[in-house]
Amino acid sequence: MNVKSQLSTLKAYTPGKTTDEVKREYQLDKIVKLASNENPYSCSPNVLKAISQTDTLAIYPDGAAVKLKEAVAEHLEIDQAKLIFSSGLDELIQIISRAVLIPESNTVMASETFSQYRHHAIIEGAEAREIPLREGVHDLDKMAAVIDENTKLVWICNPNNPTGTYVPKQELIDFLDKVPNDVLVVVDEAYYEYVTINDYPQTIPLLDEYENLLVMRTFSKAYGLAGIRVGYGVANPALINKLDVVRLPFNTSTLAQTAAIAALEDPEFIEECVIINTNELQKYYQFFDQQKISYYPSQTNFIFLRLNESSIENMFQQLLEKGWIVRKFPNGIRITVGTEQENEELLNVLKEVIPKI
């Protein structure tokens, strides 16, 4: 069977082990998964109520997501024509890559960031130019330096996954001023709601000044709707119209649209989750400072530990055998901030694990 030759260089996305798999393998009764940055407090009760009252599952969803578009536009105080919806941000990344990238073109990104940017570039036959992070943060100066006449797309994950770090407002503006108008800059703000730092850029107002800017956000993280799959992009209407050509006709389900609208109607839920998350992060900082474990201060609902290769595998395996699923990377381990009880229990486990790594 003939398929694109570049597919042989890629692997399908492999999620971490399920809780049931870990239970069976290590004969455990209790598993805590802190690997995928899900909201440990689930979603707003509004969402569950709205879903339970949905009785139109036998018919196709609204392909234009009209009611959801109205709700998000009101929430962001923008024109509805600036919005496109997707089945999580993974699909929007695919839509953008398919619409923009061609063979012989290139796309610029960090080397330690969300893997799907590179993945879809390769599928489209484009070159992925990956620039190492600078102390865990996007090195925008070096990213700007590699943009050339074949560059079509730049990805900035802000806050960055997996490090939790962020690009400050002025650095982003300075970068946007350097980028040619025909190069699309996508700022992935999947963790936007968790940000508490003062100099984080508010990108939605920048859309009026930079027509080559697209902002991505999602309901999967702070809103607790990862299992429903709904994300969205915000950009100038002309670009949105072109991306809509690539979007599948019914890509967000009736349940997804219903859930997202209901989630927006409960801002208090988000506020409470963010306060708890911020307080719990401080507990992690204090603990790892005491243990002399290096980490990146986070503007997300996870913390990234900076470890050497042997310590990464050692810590990951020890935690797994004790029933704690975290996410390992070549240069560290990412731990999702769980509930207050989960975090307290994990810190006690780590007291046993760290001396052994």
Side-chain angles (χ1 to χ4, degrees):
M1 182 65 66
N2 292 322
V3 297
K4 292 180 178 179
S5 60
Q6 60 265 33
L7 298 188
S8 63
T9 68
L10 299 172
K11 293 182 180 180
Y13 178 78
T14 305
K17 291 186 177 182
T18 66
T19 55
D20 287 340
E21 287 176 319
V22 177
K23 278 184 179 180
R24 287 195 301 269
E25 185 172 352
Y26 297 103
Q27 299 181 338
L28 298 168
D29 296 323
K30 178 184 176 182
I31 301 294
V32 181
K33 184 182 177 184
L34 298 178
S36 299
N37 307 335
E38 296 133 333
N39 187 334
Y41 299 100
S42 186
C43 60
S44 165
N46 286 18
V47 172
L48 301 178
K49 181 179 179 181
I51 289 176
S52 70
Q53 296 174 346
T54 302
D55 60 358
T56 57
L57 301 184
I59 64 175
Y60 286 104
D62 174 11
V66 172
K67 291 183 180 179
L68 177 56
K69 191 171 290 184
E70 290 174 354
V72 174
E74 181 179 354
H75 175 68
L76 298 179
E77 299 181 344
I78 61 170
D79 187 335
Q80 296 178 33
K82 292 183 176 181
L83 289 166
I84 183 172
F85 293 90
S86 57
S87 177
L89 289 188
D90 301 286
E91 189 201 21
L92 186 53
I93 294 167
Q94 181 186 53
I95 289 171
I96 293 167
S97 300
R98 188 177 182 189
V100 174
L101 298 176
I102 58 175
E104 310 302 328
S105 68
N106 68 70
T107 173
V108 178
M109 65 197 72
S111 59
E112 300 163 274
T113 192
F114 190 48
S115 62
Q116 291 299 293
Y117 310 148
R118 179 185 184 278
H119 188 85
H120 286 286
I122 302 304
I123 289 174
E124 299 302 328
E127 175 192 0
R129 295 186 173 179
E130 299 174 276
I131 305 302
L133 298 175
R134 185 187 70 247
E135 287 301 307
V137 181
H138 283 67
D139 191 334
L140 296 187
D141 288 336
K142 289 186 178 179
M143 289 175 68
V146 300
I147 293 174
D148 61 21
E149 66 277 6
N150 293 319
T151 303
K152 302 292 184 182
L153 178 60
V154 177
W155 298 97
I156 301 174
C157 192
N158 200 34
N160 187 45
N161 180 11
T163 58
T165 54
Y166 77 102
V167 173
K169 175 182 178 180
Q170 195 55 54
E171 287 188 27
L172 179 62
I173 291 175
D174 291 344
F175 176 78
L176 291 171
D177 287 337
K178 297 175 184 176
V179 177
N181 292 334
D182 61 348
V183 175
L184 177 61
V185 178
V186 178
V187 180
D188 183 344
E189 297 182 344
Y191 299 90
Y192 172 82
E193 289 78 13
Y194 285 111
V195 174
T196 59
I197 202 79
N198 290 330
D199 62 342
Y200 180 81
Q202 294 303 316
T203 48
I204 301 299
L206 296 177
L207 294 169
D208 292 331
E209 185 175 351
Y210 301 96
E211 292 190 352
N212 61 330
L213 175 64
L214 186 149
V215 178
M216 300 198 309
R217 292 185 185 171
T218 185
F219 286 90
S220 293
K221 302 304 179 183
Y223 287 99
L225 302 183
I228 286 284
R229 311 308 297 133
V230 56
Y232 62 93
V234 193
N236 76 76
L239 175 58
I240 294 297
N241 285 338
K242 293 175 182 176
L243 295 178
D244 255 331
V245 174
V246 182
R247 181 182 62 83
L248 293 175
F250 303 108
N251 65 328
T252 55
S253 71
T254 297
L255 288 180
Q257 294 177 31
T258 300
I261 293 169
L264 287 175
E265 294 171 349
D266 190 3
E268 291 80 11
F269 172 79
I270 298 296
E271 292 168 7
E272 183 177 353
C273 288
V274 172
I275 289 171
I276 296 173
N277 181 75
T278 302
N279 292 338
E280 293 302 296
L281 271 173
Q282 292 300 322
K283 295 178 184 178
Y284 276 103
Y285 297 161
Q286 183 178 8
F287 174 82
F288 288 122
D289 285 341
Q290 292 172 347
Q291 298 292 325
K292 295 182 171 52
I293 298 291
S294 181
Y295 61 86
Y296 291 119
S298 177
Q299 289 299 315
T300 64
N301 66 332
F302 59 82
I303 185 169
F304 188 87
L305 309 183
R306 306 168 65 183
L307 303 169
N308 61 43
E309 186 175 352
S310 62
S311 296
I312 292 167
E313 188 58 41
N314 201 328
M315 179 182 286
F316 176 82
Q317 189 61 34
Q318 286 194 63
L319 289 176
L320 192 63
E321 292 175 5
K322 294 177 183 294
W324 296 85
I325 305 175
V326 296
R327 188 69 181 265
K328 62 179 176 179
F329 291 84
N331 59 338
I333 282 179
R334 189 188 68 194
I335 301 174
T336 302
V337 177
T339 64
E340 295 171 81
Q341 181 177 344
E342 288 170 345
N343 298 328
E344 182 178 349
E345 291 176 2
L346 177 58
L347 293 180
N348 285 329
V349 171
L350 283 167
K351 287 179 184 177
E352 303 174 13
V353 168
I354 289 174
K356 301 176 184 178
I357 66 173

